[in-house]
């Protein structure tokens, strides 16, 4: 087991908030401490496990880094808990720490899956991920979104990877922004649930990030609407899932992935609910990872294996890298929203 040697200031704190994130300045100050501590504990855990992380976890850290950058506001001084320095300094330390984790982890990821690494290494670049800006029009649809196309086949991880590599220019065509009609037949179909919908969403997110708008069926405005529509459908699925008992880590992983993409990376505030944050915080173990004690993972469970996701050392409680990564991205979204609220509080005062 390798350990990351780095000087990093960690905060310790406690759980909070049960109402809307934007209602009480004092509560939001406490909530900010809670989110920072949870996020940093997770980063420290992943830092200790750098030689066991896979590419999806590292790309998730880059997404989180983009959220941290978006949360970094140029206020004269935004304090956090007494004696722990300014928020700006703490966010800068987190971003630097992520850089160190990624740098140390990449050789191990390449050694484990060199072809997969070469195909998706673009996603590990610091400048690749940019979080969506918030504005008054950045809201979900009130009605279910539909492409109007029947589902032709299930979206498997292999099919998704094939379509994503064509966008990245590492697929068979070796040409960036290749949008194959067979990929659109899959990605622009209705009726998907769970991870299949987040697969769809990731495809259109990459189209946006890579600016692949030259294909007849893809235009910038339309792509934005598709992303909004998919997140609207995902929000309903996440809402339904939150009303269940959460079937162990498998449902936790999906629920946090839904929040990570739509709430964290894409900035749809409807996903950043305080009760959903409380769920996420309750799933974090003392080690900093996210999982469920005594949960069972079977081959027939429907859980997405996520590029040979590996169990991490957590004292035997079944921590997995992907589950922790989507939790970290989700927390990044809550961090950004809470910082924005705190900035407003300071301006009011």
């Amino acid at each position: 087991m390798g350990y990351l040697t780095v000087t990093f200031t960690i905060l310790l704190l406690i759980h909070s908030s049960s109402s809307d994130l934007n209602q009480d300045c004092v509560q939001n100050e406490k909530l900010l401490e809670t989110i920072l501590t949870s996020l940093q504990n997770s980063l420290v855990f992943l830092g200790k496990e750098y030689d066991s992380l896979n590419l999806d976890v590292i790309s998730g850290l880059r997404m989180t880094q983009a959220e941290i950058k978006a949360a970094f506001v140029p206020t004269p001084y935004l304090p956090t808990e007494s004696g722990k320095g300014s928020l700006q300094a703490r966010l800068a330390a987190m971003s630097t720490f992520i850089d160190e984790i990624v740098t140390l982890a990449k050789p191990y990821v390449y050694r484990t899956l060199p072809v997969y690494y070469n195909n998706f290494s673009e996603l590990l670049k610091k400048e690749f991920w940019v979080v969506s800006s918030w504005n008054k029009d950045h809201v979900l649809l009130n009605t279910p979104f539909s492409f109007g196309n029947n589902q032709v086949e299930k979206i498997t991880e292999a099919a998704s990877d094939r379509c994503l590599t064509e966008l990245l220019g590492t697929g068979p065509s070796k040409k960036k922004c290749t949008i194959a009609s067979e990929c659109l037949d899959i990605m622009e179909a209705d009726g998907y649930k769970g991870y299949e919908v987040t697969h769809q969403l990731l495809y259109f997110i990459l189209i946006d990030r890579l600016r692949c708008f030259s294909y007849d069926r893809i235009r910038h405005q339309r792509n934005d609407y598709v992303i909004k529509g998919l997140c609207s459908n995902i929000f309903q699925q996440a809402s339904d899932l939150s009303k269940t008992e959460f079937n162990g880590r498998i449902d936790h992983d999906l629920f946090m992935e839904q929040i990570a993409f739509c709430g964290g990376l894409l900035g749809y505030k409807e996903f950043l609910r305080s009760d959903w944050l409380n769920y996420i915080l309750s799933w974090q173990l003392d080690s900093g990872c996210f999982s469920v004690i005594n949960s069972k993972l079977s081959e027939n469970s429907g859980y997405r294996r996520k590029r040979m996701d590996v169990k991490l050392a957590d004292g035997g409680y079944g921590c997995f890298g992907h589950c922790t990564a989507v939790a970290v991205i989700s927390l990044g979204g809550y961090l950004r929203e809470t910082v924005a609220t705190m900035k407003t509080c300071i301006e009011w005062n």
Side-chain angles (χ1 to χ4, degrees):
M1 171 60 58
Y3 286 86
L4 187 60
T5 304
V6 65
T7 302
F8 187 60
T9 303
I10 314 277
L11 342 92
L12 296 176
L13 94 51
I14 42 201
H15 196 150
S16 133
S17 183
S18 59
S19 60
D20 190 289
L21 294 179
N22 293 317
Q23 286 192 1
D24 186 282
C25 291
V26 175
Q27 281 296 95
N28 273 283
E29 186 173 357
K30 295 177 181 178
L31 180 61
L32 176 60
E33 283 294 334
T34 302
I35 294 168
L36 283 168
T37 294
S38 178
L39 183 56
Q40 291 180 151
N41 286 343
S42 295
L43 292 178
V44 170
F45 173 78
L46 293 174
K48 293 176 180 178
E49 296 285 329
Y50 72 86
D51 54 355
S52 299
L53 306 181
N54 64 20
L55 188 141
D56 286 5
V57 175
I58 302 175
S59 63
L61 288 175
R62 287 302 196 199
M63 294 178 196
T64 306
Q65 193 172 38
E67 293 172 317
I68 292 171
K69 181 179 179 181
F72 196 96
V73 290
T75 55
Y77 182 79
L78 192 59
T80 51
E81 195 170 275
S82 176
K84 293 180 179 177
S86 72
L87 177 67
Q88 289 92 331
R90 293 164 73 178
L91 294 181
M94 274 198 284
S95 184
T96 299
F97 191 59
I98 288 174
D99 281 334
E100 298 194 28
I101 297 173
V102 172
T103 298
L104 287 171
K106 284 198 296 186
Y108 292 92
V109 176
Y110 177 79
R111 189 181 308 165
T112 304
L113 291 171
V115 174
Y116 185 77
Y117 180 92
N118 288 334
N119 284 343
F120 289 96
S121 60
E122 182 85 2
L123 307 185
L124 306 185
K125 294 179 179 178
K126 188 174 184 175
E127 64 276 8
F128 184 84
W129 297 106
V130 178
V131 297
S132 298
S133 59
W134 286 330
N135 59 64
K136 63 181 177 62
D137 298 320
H138 200 67
V139 293
L140 298 175
L141 304 177
N142 292 322
T143 56
F145 171 77
S146 173
F147 287 104
N149 302 320
N150 294 326
Q151 180 179 323
V152 291
E153 60 180 282
K154 288 191 174 297
I155 302 179
T156 64
E157 194 160 89
S160 176
D161 286 353
R162 183 177 67 252
C163 293
L164 294 178
T165 55
E166 286 291 271
L167 292 177
L168 291 165
T170 55
S173 71
K174 302 301 179 186
K175 182 181 177 182
K176 188 169 285 191
C177 286
T178 297
I179 300 178
S181 58
E182 57 266 28
C183 286
L184 284 183
D185 288 342
I186 298 172
M187 298 299 180
E188 291 190 337
D190 300 320
Y192 295 119
K193 299 287 185 181
Y195 288 111
E196 290 180 313
V197 188
T198 53
H199 272 248
Q200 280 180 297
L201 179 63
L202 182 58
Y203 183 75
F204 292 101
I205 290 173
L206 288 195
I207 286 176
D208 181 72
R209 291 299 311 126
L210 295 165
R211 318 307 290 173
C212 302
F213 300 129
S214 60
Y215 192 80
D216 286 344
R217 285 166 66 178
I218 300 291
R219 290 290 181 266
H220 189 192
Q221 243 183 340
R222 179 184 183 276
N223 198 67
D224 285 349
Y225 184 76
V226 167
I227 288 173
K228 176 182 289 193
L230 289 174
C231 277
S232 300
N233 292 352
I234 289 170
F235 180 77
Q236 184 57 57
Q237 292 184 25
S239 297
D240 292 342
L241 193 56
S242 72
K243 296 171 186 174
T244 71
E245 293 297 319
F246 286 105
N247 183 29
R249 186 183 68 81
I250 299 162
D251 281 352
H252 291 202
D253 185 278
L254 172 59
F255 183 67
M256 290 189 290
E257 178 164 304
Q258 292 168 330
I259 297 172
F261 281 171
C262 293
L265 192 62
L266 295 171
Y268 285 103
K269 294 185 181 184
E270 293 94 332
F271 283 84
L272 302 178
R273 291 169 41 167
S274 57
D275 56 337
W276 290 6
L277 174 61
N278 288 333
Y279 281 132
I280 295 171
L281 293 171
S282 73
W283 297 331
Q284 187 172 29
L285 301 182
D286 290 342
S287 63
C289 78
F290 284 79
S291 188
V292 177
I293 299 173
N294 295 329
S295 66
K296 296 181 180 180
L297 178 65
S298 71
E299 292 301 319
N300 297 320
S301 65
Y303 172 65
R304 186 171 54 163
R305 288 297 298 175
K306 288 308 299 175
R307 344 291 180 194
M308 300 173 63
D309 195 9
V310 292
K311 186 175 180 179
L312 303 177
D314 66 327
Y317 293 131
C319 288
F320 281 74
H322 183 261
C323 196
T324 302
V326 290
V328 166
I329 305 167
S330 298
L331 288 170
Y334 281 102
L335 171 68
R336 182 186 174 202
E337 167 68 359
T338 307
V339 168
T341 301
M342 290 303 300
K343 182 175 182 289
T344 302
C345 288
I346 288 175
E347 291 170 348
W348 282 349
N349 294 329

